[in-house]
């Protein structure tokens, strides 16, 4: 059986995979995480905005959130992880996904005759407007404000992928 930390992280990634499937998107992952990307999510085939638009995402989970002033102060990224998401130098847009999960694994999902319920909710934020940290240190954390309005749904995930084709190419 998975330890609590890995169980929570795996559930968060599976939560995103379910949303991608619900949105009609496909996902993939690198065989080794060298770039700070947990999943690549894309819309297969030709679209009015280009061929197979995609995004890359880093997924983090939290069991408690303390929203204030419309944001969650997320402190789960070290400086190296932050730097792999921050700035404009990416060919594929990158997002941080934060999935709020229950404090106990037995509450992650519930099955009833009306369907499967996954708990709780996911949020997204782009760090494109933040500057990467020079000489990042794994021992230091970086605060990221995640807007409560940036809720991950099948529709919002599809919109993030579709909009990726409209962003200017990295310079």
């Amino acid at each position: 059986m998975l330890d609590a930390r890995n169980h929570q992280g795996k559930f968060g990634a599976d939560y995103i995979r379910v949303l991608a499937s619900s949105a009609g998107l496909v996902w993939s992952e690198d065989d080794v995480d060298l770039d700070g990307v947990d999943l690549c999510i894309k819309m297969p085939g030709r679209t009015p905005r280009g061929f197979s638009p995609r995004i890359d995402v880093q997924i983090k989970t939290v069991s408690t959130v303390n929203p204030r002033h419309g944001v969650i102060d997320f402190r789960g990224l070290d400086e190296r992880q932050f730097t792999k998401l921050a700035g404009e130098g990416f060919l594929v847009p990158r997002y941080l996904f934060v999935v709020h999960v229950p404090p106990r694994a037995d509450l992650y999902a519930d099955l009833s005759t009306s369907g499967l319920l996954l708990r709780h909710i996911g949020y997204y934020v782009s760090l494109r407007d933040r500057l990467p940290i020079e000489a990042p240190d794994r021992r230091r954390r970086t605060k990221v404000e995640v807007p409560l309005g940036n809720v991950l749904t099948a529709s919002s995930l599809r919109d993030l992928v579709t909009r990726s084709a409209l962003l200017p190419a990295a310079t």
Side-chain angles (χ1 to χ4, degrees), residues 24-41:
L25 305 170
V26 296
W27 60 267
S28 62
E29 56 188 312
D30 292 339
D31 60 342
V32 178
D33 180 1
L34 299 175
D35 293 326
V37 172
D38 291 321
L39 292 178
C40 159
I41 301 172

Side-chain angles (χ1 to χ4, degrees), residues 47-51 53-55 91 93 95 128 158-170:
T47 71
R49 295 190 170 114
F51 194 81
R54 68 179 257 193
I55 60 173
L91 292 175
Y95 291 88
R128 184 182 178 105
R158 192 178 316 106
D159 288 346
L160 290 176
V161 173
T162 302
R163 280 186 289 178
S164 72
L166 300 175
L167 295 173

Side-chain angles (χ1 to χ4, degrees), residues 6-84:
N6 282 306
H7 194 174
Q8 180 175 311
K10 180 172 176 9
F11 177 78
D14 290 342
Y15 183 100
I16 300 304
R17 290 179 185 103
V18 168
L19 276 181
S21 295
S22 176
L25 305 170
V26 296
W27 60 267
S28 62
E29 56 188 312
D30 292 339
D31 60 342
V32 178
D33 180 1
L34 299 175
D35 293 326
V37 172
D38 291 321
L39 292 178
C40 159
I41 301 172
K42 72 178 182 176
M43 184 177 296
R46 190 170 304 279
T47 71
R49 295 190 170 114
F51 194 81
S52 294
R54 68 179 257 193
I55 60 173
D56 288 337
V57 300
Q58 171 68 227
I59 303 163
K60 295 294 185 184
T61 57
V62 293
S63 58
T64 59
V65 293
N66 297 308
R68 76 176 174 75
H69 307 295
V71 299
I72 298 166
D73 286 335
F74 180 71
R75 299 176 190 275
L77 290 180
D78 66 44
E79 289 182 349
R80 289 184 67 196
Q81 292 169 324
F82 173 87
T83 297
K84 290 179 178 182

